[in-house]
Amino acid sequence: MFKTEICDLLNIEAPILQGGMAWVATAELAAAVSNAGGLGVVAAGNAPAAIVEEQITKARELTDKPFGVNIMLLSPFIDEVVEVVHRQKVSVVTTGAGNPGKYMAYLKEYGAKIIPVVPSVAFAKRMERAGSDAIIVEGTEAGGHIGELTTMALVPQAAQSVSIPVIAAGGIADGRGFLAALSLGAKGVQIGTRFVCSTECIAHNAYKEMLVKAGDRDAVVTARSTGHPVRVLKNRFVKELLAMEKEGIGLEELEQLGAGKLRIAVQDGNIQDGSVMAGQIAGLVSDIRPCKEIISTILQEAHQQLNQLNMLKGE
Ligand code: TUI
């Protein structure tokens, strides 16, 4: 059930990809998602190439299944990271926060499947022309660095504008969201926030608990004025930041204030002074469970939901 062309393309059981979340998406999380039948993804984030290589090696120790690496295009180490991914011949590469165009031919040399994350139809088309194997279209519901369109509006427009498979991201955490994404024309989903609250995720327990406690309006957007808006859970740091933004603080100063804040939240559990990136669906996440259970529950719920909808047909 729910086998799609994404399963064949990536050689996976369920068309569920894990988001490439900086600091959070380590080898442990990626391997757990891949072992559960989805596609785990190691996030390069802003890490130096040697760390990324270590994580790839570790993921290979923890799983025999395919996994991917997410390269974050704003990284100061981007060229070296791409070189490592090439040397290690990682089978799937997802990209975020920019245009991967200049790396596509190089990564295709060894047969990488390239799946850029994009925030618009125009970008989706450009990435199709550049030779992408699929695209992840990410709605503004997502956590971290975001675009402007909602998943509901973006997915069907992208799906009818490109012929490569579309994967929906942003605001998906259960079987209803998964099935809705397929209804909108997606052939798979990328899920971030729900996987943060997994037992295998190495994020500090305080980070996970903050997500579990979050309500529907707790994930807010900061740094809009920089042109790089970021969705995070509201805390002391975010309230101060938003107040300063209102007063017209400079871009450089704002970026300085954000530097290192994700790490202290994820690793040290400093959830008041750090940046607790999360999507709007955080309000739906109410427990911390193994990745295997998260994935099997999503598929089961989707199946049930499909039956429910079928029963409505006679009414
Ligand atoms: O990349 C993400 N999410 C991220 S990256 C990240 S690290 C970061 N932290 C602070 C500021 C900036 C980055 C945290 N979360 N998601 C995928 C995604 N990509 N969402 C939106 C985009 C995107 C945006 C603009 C992709 C391409 C793009 O193109 C700009 C251009 O024309 O080059």
Side-chain angles (χ1 to χ4, degrees):
M1 195 82 189
F2 301 120
K3 284 251 180 284
T4 70
E5 59 203 90
I6 288 298
C7 299
D8 299 327
L9 178 71
L10 306 178
N11 198 16
I12 56 178
E13 294 298 310
I16 298 176
L17 284 71
Q18 166 239 311
M21 303 164 284
W23 294 105
V24 169
T26 61
E28 287 85 352
L29 180 60
V33 171
S34 288
N35 284 332
L39 187 85
V41 174
V42 169
N46 280 317
I51 304 283
V52 178
E53 190 151 32
E54 229 174 78
Q55 290 291 314
I56 294 168
T57 306
K58 195 167 181 185
R60 289 210 167 115
E61 284 163 15
L62 297 173
T63 186
D64 300 331
K65 302 268 167 66
F67 65 88
V69 166
N70 175 269
I71 58 177
M72 207 281 281
L73 291 149
L74 295 170
S75 165
F77 304 108
I78 184 67
D79 288 341
E80 299 96 293
V81 165
V82 172
E83 209 268 314
V84 158
V85 169
H86 186 276
R87 174 149 33 86
Q88 291 289 339
K89 298 187 166 46
V90 180
S91 55
V92 184
V93 180
T94 65
T95 72
N99 186 347
K102 75 180 224 206
Y103 303 110
M104 301 261 292
Y106 180 58
L107 289 168
K108 276 179 161 292
E109 271 177 18
Y110 73 87
K113 302 279 186 270
I114 304 173
I115 314 184
V117 180
V118 302
S120 68
V121 170
F123 216 102
K125 285 181 172 169
R126 212 186 311 164
M127 291 299 101
E128 177 180 46
R129 278 199 302 273
S132 304
D133 295 277
I135 42 161
I136 298 167
V137 301
E138 189 178 272
T140 194
E141 296 93 320
H145 178 47
I146 48 169
E148 286 186 4
L149 294 169
T150 60
T151 301
M152 183 70 115
L154 177 56
V155 175
Q157 294 186 73
Q160 71 176 40
S161 306
V162 295
S163 26
I164 51 176
V166 166
I167 296 161
I172 303 164
D174 70 359
R176 295 169 301 178
F178 172 83
L179 192 62
L182 297 187
S183 298
L184 294 173
K187 303 294 182 199
V189 297
Q190 176 191 268
I191 291 181
T193 301
R194 172 67 271 199
F195 284 127
V196 177
C197 291
S198 65
T199 47
E200 296 92 341
C201 170
I202 57 82
H204 197 285
N205 211 46
Y207 195 114
K208 297 183 190 178
E209 287 297 337
M210 191 173 183
L211 260 72
V212 164
K213 291 197 186 100
D216 58 347
R217 302 181 66 218
D218 290 336
V220 299
V221 181
T222 59
R224 271 208 197 279
S225 55
T226 66
H228 291 145
V230 176
R231 188 178 299 284
V232 291
L233 292 187
K234 210 188 294 169
N235 61 7
R236 186 165 63 214
F237 164 63
V238 169
K239 282 178 196 158
E240 284 169 14
L241 204 64
L242 289 173
M244 286 190 260
E245 267 193 272
K246 222 171 182 177
E247 283 165 22
I249 175 190
L251 297 191
E252 245 170 63
E253 208 180 333
L254 199 70
E255 279 183 354
Q256 289 241 316
L257 281 171
K261 290 297 198 290
L262 179 61
R263 193 203 64 76
I264 67 167
V266 174
Q267 291 197 329
D268 305 343
N270 189 343
I271 56 168
Q272 282 308 323
D273 305 312
S275 173
V276 184
M277 292 188 188
Q280 287 183 336
I281 206 69
L284 199 72
V285 177
S286 59
D287 53 15
I288 299 161
R289 293 197 292 151
C291 290
K292 213 177 199 92
E293 263 181 56
I294 293 174
I295 290 184
S296 63
T297 304
I298 289 172
L299 297 174
Q300 213 177 317
E301 284 169 352
H303 194 240
Q304 278 165 7
Q305 185 67 14
L306 197 54
N307 284 336
Q308 292 268 323
L309 291 171
N310 244 321
M311 286 190 306
L312 287 177
K313 280 200 309 199
E315 285 174 15

